[in-house]
Amino acid sequence: MHACPNILKGSFTLSCILALSQCSIYECVCPLCSCKAPGCGCRVVSEWSFKKDGVDAGMIDLANETRGAQLDDRDTFLGIGNKRIARWDMRAPEGVVQELSSPSVMTWDGGHDYKTDVAFNCMATSGDGYVVIGSDDGQIRLYGNKTLTRANTAIPGLGGPITAVDVTYDGKWVLATTKNYLMVVKTTYKDKGGKETNGFKSKMGARAPAPRLLRLKAEDQPLLQGAPLRQGKFTWVTEAGRDERWIVASCGNHTVLWNFGQVKLAEPTTTSYGGLTTCTNYHLIKKQESVVDSVFVHDNYANSPGANDTSMVVVTKHQVWSLADDD
């Protein structure tokens, strides 16, 4: 188990964290921390502020430019605000990063400002750099990997705000989290010429496949005490040719696990929200206190001793449970 002393002392509060530079640096919405080794403690090594044209540009969520970019040595990443999608560059234009006592300004490297409040809330990227963004109004927007100025597809929601999104490495499936359900959306379809394409490249419109819902069973509600679903994620895959096998989310004191293969093949034996195929087969893993987040171990390490294809790191308020810990 590992905890940052700066957080425990209340020195700052994190809203999200992002691994960069071969996972040696962690970019936070707040400071930037670098951990030398598990258990050694964190230290703030550099601090940046987000500004565009000299004006503060607060970020709500961050994402790597591609799903596996944190394993590379790169200095750029993506971020969203309520009305903005942006690409940021940690390299100072003058070539020298200032000391912590005088925070550097992150370099704006492109993006788009919306005139109206689009209520962006969360984002994720695929292996090819396709971008998916979820909004408080329930919409899911799909952007290509060439430009951030316009979404090629906007998928209407079912009424609930989108609190987290994820996308498979190949960009063929998107996962959106709301407090009452997870929505699984297939992004591929056939164009007018019969060629397969996806909603990141062009507008799906009426050709979009119907989404599938992942919901909790009524009989489990007393056990979960009405807690919301949070932070839905696919298996962590960063290489082409590998398929994500599982979906995980947090709910109260539990981690909820769905078999993604079964979700893709599910028949509409159970439906909800106007006839959408709804999957209610899952596994519950209980902890003694509220689960903050549940994250899969990287696919490359799922075959290490003691691990399997559902190995995760589960974070509660006071503890971090690794694959070596007991369920």
Side-chain angles (χ1 to χ4, degrees):
M1 293 182 287
H2 174 56
C4 174
N6 291 315
I7 300 174
L8 295 178
K9 291 187 297 183
S11 301
F12 53 80
T13 301
L14 304 180
S15 60
C16 68
I17 188 167
L18 180 70
L20 296 167
S21 298
Q22 300 173 342
C23 292
S24 64
I25 296 176
Y26 298 87
E27 173 73 30
C28 315
V29 173
C30 196
L32 178 72
C33 298
S34 178
C35 299
K36 293 180 180 179
C40 74
C42 297
R43 61 188 178 92
V44 178
V45 295
S46 298
E47 185 178 348
W48 284 266
S49 61
F50 295 104
K51 290 188 177 183
K52 181 189 177 187
D53 300 328
V55 179
D56 288 338
M59 294 286 101
I60 294 173
D61 199 10
L62 307 176
N64 287 290
E65 288 191 282
T66 67
R67 192 168 175 82
Q70 71 271 32
L71 304 178
D72 302 330
D73 187 13
R74 67 173 71 190
D75 298 294
T76 55
F77 60 92
L78 305 177
I80 53 170
N82 284 326
K83 300 167 60 176
R84 171 177 291 144
I85 177 172
R87 178 179 289 107
W88 298 99
D89 193 333
M90 293 192 299
R91 295 166 294 189
E94 64 276 14
V96 178
V97 175
Q98 302 170 36
E99 296 298 325
L100 178 61
S101 58
S102 180
S104 294
V105 176
M106 195 75 68
T107 303
W108 170 272
D109 193 34
H112 182 66
D113 290 339
Y114 287 81
K115 295 181 179 180
T116 59
D117 188 353
V118 287
F120 287 160
N121 195 36
C122 47
M123 71 183 309
T125 53
S126 73
D128 289 327
Y130 298 135
V131 179
V132 55
I133 297 179
S135 303
D136 280 340
D137 63 3
Q139 284 198 69
I140 304 169
R141 291 176 172 85
L142 308 183
Y143 292 79
N145 54 8
K146 303 298 183 183
T147 178
L148 300 176
T149 58
R150 182 177 62 87
N152 285 320
T153 295
I155 301 170
L158 303 177
I162 305 298
T163 59
V165 290
D166 200 7
V167 57
T168 57
Y169 185 87
D170 59 15
K172 292 183 178 181
W173 296 87
V174 164
L175 178 68
T177 303
T178 74
K179 68 177 183 178
N180 295 321
Y181 57 85
L182 272 60
M183 185 162 62
V184 181
V185 181
K186 187 177 182 180
T187 66
T188 57
Y189 68 96
K190 290 186 178 181
D191 61 19
K192 294 180 180 179
K195 183 179 179 181
E196 184 174 280
T197 184
N198 64 55
F200 293 101
K201 296 179 180 179
S202 59
K203 184 177 181 179
M204 289 197 292
R207 295 165 291 186
R212 296 160 186 257
L213 302 184
L214 310 183
R215 303 193 69 182
L216 303 175
K217 290 177 282 192
E219 55 263 37
D220 285 332
Q221 293 298 334
L223 178 67
L224 300 169
Q225 299 180 339
L229 287 163
R230 300 178 63 251
Q231 300 293 336
K233 299 180 183 71
F234 290 112
T235 312
W236 188 15
V237 172
T238 57
E239 299 176 25
R242 284 182 162 178
D243 292 330
E244 291 80 0
R245 297 183 294 273
W246 299 91
I247 294 171
V248 69
S250 303
C251 185
N253 288 18
H254 293 76
T255 293
V256 190
L257 195 63
W258 285 269
N259 184 310
F260 184 36
Q262 293 179 2
V263 171
K264 289 188 285 188
L265 298 175
E267 297 293 336
T269 53
T270 302
T271 62
S272 61
Y273 282 89
L276 296 179
T277 298
T278 302
C279 303
T280 56
N281 294 323
Y282 50 82
H283 306 280
L284 289 176
I285 303 171
K286 185 178 180 180
K287 294 299 178 188
Q288 295 304 309
E289 57 181 358
S290 180
V291 176
V292 176
D293 203 358
S294 305
V295 183
F296 285 110
V297 173
H298 190 280
D299 198 58
N300 285 346
Y301 305 106
N303 294 319
S304 58
N308 57 53
D309 61 0
T310 61
S311 295
M312 291 176 286
V313 174
V314 178
V315 181
T316 65
K317 185 176 180 180
H318 297 102
Q319 294 179 305
V320 179
W321 301 84
S322 71
L323 61 92
D325 296 316
D326 294 331
D327 286 338

